[in-house]
Amino acid sequence: MHMPIYEYICDECQTHFEKIVFNKTQEIACPQCAGKKNSIQLSVFSSANADGSSSSQSTSNGGSGGCCGGGCGCH
């Protein structure tokens, strides 16, 4: 079973943080101010190749295609 790690930004103090999410009803609190209002951020992810090496996909706006260079299918 895989547990997703999500990136958040606190709406109250603007702290960026990551959190492992075990279920959809889990309450997410800011580690800095304990605020409960957070916005989920687009994240970088990686996957293991068959040879054990890893590759990363970036969501930066460094290429053409919008938010992630067109790799996310949002365009």
Side-chain angles (χ1 to χ4, degrees):
M1 175 181 247
H2 297 280
M3 300 294 171
I5 299 174
Y6 291 103
E7 293 183 33
Y8 294 90
I9 185 168
C10 177
D11 294 342
E12 296 177 26
C13 72
Q14 305 304 305
T15 297
H16 292 257
F17 62 96
E18 296 178 345
K19 191 77 169 175
I20 296 175
V21 178
F22 295 101
N23 63 51
K24 292 179 183 180
T25 61
Q26 179 178 342
E27 188 173 89
I28 307 299
C30 173
Q32 184 71 30
C33 73
K36 304 279 194 285
K37 294 183 179 182
N38 304 294
S39 299
I40 195 164
Q41 303 295 294
L42 291 176
S43 182
V44 174
F45 63 92
S46 98
S47 61
N49 295 326
D51 64 1
S53 64
S54 65
S55 63
S56 295
Q57 297 290 323
S58 175
T59 59
S60 69
N61 197 8
S64 61
C67 65
C68 59
C72 69
C74 66
H75 298 279

